[in-house]
């Protein structure tokens, strides 16, 4: 049983809270490396549904697109999952999801939602913090030249010169 899987009978009626610490092995974020984190869960249980709100604070090891150096990116995000008895079709959007109860195991799992929430907050352009200024904006990229740089003289093809003379 996963750390993010809970037995329905152990969730008390009304509101309750739990905090789950996650280690490197608890989530698979391929192709990125999960470096651990913490999930704060807030449950609200009634006879007809269980609402789970969670806040994730996690660290993910990424590779910088500019320098190919590894760095750890902190990620924080919130999400809500509503588990209902009479759901015909499961739905989800960027703010939350509606899921069916799993009556066969009497458990509910938010592992997939936690994983997806972290993955959706991984930046598209991965930039090592050393390339960011104090405001978090990318600094100008510096180009370096190695060896002697010779100015290229623009040579015109002699055939073009003859064609220009014919035109005049």
């Amino acid at each position: 049983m996963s750390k993010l899987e809970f037995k329905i009978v152990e969730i008390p009626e009304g509101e309750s809270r739990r905090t789950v610490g996650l280690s490197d092995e608890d989530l698979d974020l391929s192709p990125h490396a999960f470096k651990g984190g913490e999930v704060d869960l807030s449950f609200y249980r009634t006879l007809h549904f269980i609402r789970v709100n969670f806040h994730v604070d996690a660290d993910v090891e990424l590779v910088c697109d500019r320098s190919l150096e590894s760095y750890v990116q902190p990620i924080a995000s919130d999400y809500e999952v509503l588990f209902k008895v009479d759901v015909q079709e499961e739905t989800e959007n960027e703010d939350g999801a509606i899921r069916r109860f799993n009556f066969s195991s009497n458990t509910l799992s938010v592992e997939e939602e936690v994983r997806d929430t972290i993955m959706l907050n991984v930046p598209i352009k991965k930039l090592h913090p050393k390339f960011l200024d104090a405001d978090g904006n990318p600094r100008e990229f510096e180009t370096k030249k190695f060896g002697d740089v010779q100015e290229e003289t623009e040579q015109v093809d002699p055939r073009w010169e003859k064609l220009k003379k014919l035109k005049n």
Side-chain angles (χ1 to χ4, degrees):
M1 192 160 126
S2 163
K3 286 184 178 180
L4 295 170
E5 192 172 318
F6 306 96
K7 292 183 180 179
I8 295 171
V9 293
E10 292 178 357
I11 300 171
E13 291 281 329
E15 280 195 52
S16 61
R17 295 185 170 279
R18 292 189 190 172
T19 300
V20 177
L22 300 174
S23 65
D24 300 4
E25 300 87 31
D26 292 330
L27 282 178
D28 178 25
L29 297 181
S30 296
H32 310 296
F34 181 64
K35 291 297 181 185
E38 189 173 83
V39 181
D40 293 320
L41 298 131
S42 172
F43 297 95
Y44 184 75
R45 179 177 174 196
T46 68
L47 292 174
H48 303 289
F49 68 87
I50 297 176
R51 185 182 68 221
V52 182
N53 290 319
F54 62 84
H55 175 79
V56 180
D57 286 313
D59 291 328
V60 179
E61 185 175 319
L62 303 175
V63 176
C64 176
D65 292 335
R66 186 178 286 182
S67 66
L68 299 179
E69 292 179 56
S70 293
Y71 71 99
V72 175
Q73 174 77 42
I75 291 178
S77 186
D78 297 308
Y79 200 69
E80 178 180 282
V81 184
L82 184 64
F83 292 92
K84 292 179 83 175
V85 176
D86 57 350
V87 171
Q88 301 299 325
E89 186 176 330
E90 293 185 350
T91 60
E92 61 186 294
N93 61 28
E94 64 273 357
D95 299 320
I98 299 175
R99 303 275 186 245
R100 267 185 231 109
F101 276 127
N102 184 359
F103 285 110
S104 62
S105 65
N106 283 325
T107 62
L108 55 92
S109 175
V110 291
E111 182 174 0
E112 184 179 316
E113 286 79 8
V114 169
R115 180 193 182 283
D116 292 348
T117 301
I118 293 170
M119 291 297 285
L120 287 171
N121 284 284
V122 170
I124 294 171
K125 292 186 178 187
K126 297 165 226 30
L127 198 58
H128 195 287
K130 71 180 184 181
F131 296 115
L132 301 175
D133 62 14
D135 297 328
N137 297 320
R139 282 187 273 160
E140 284 297 315
F141 188 73
E142 203 177 292
T143 57
K144 295 182 180 179
K145 297 180 182 179
F146 298 98
D148 293 335
V149 178
Q150 297 177 355
E151 293 289 324
E152 288 186 26
T153 57
E154 195 173 312
Q155 294 182 357
V156 180
D157 189 345
R159 293 175 287 184
W160 283 113
E161 289 298 322
K162 289 183 181 177
L163 284 173
K164 286 182 184 176
K165 288 180 186 175
L166 287 175
K167 188 177 176 183
N168 295 338

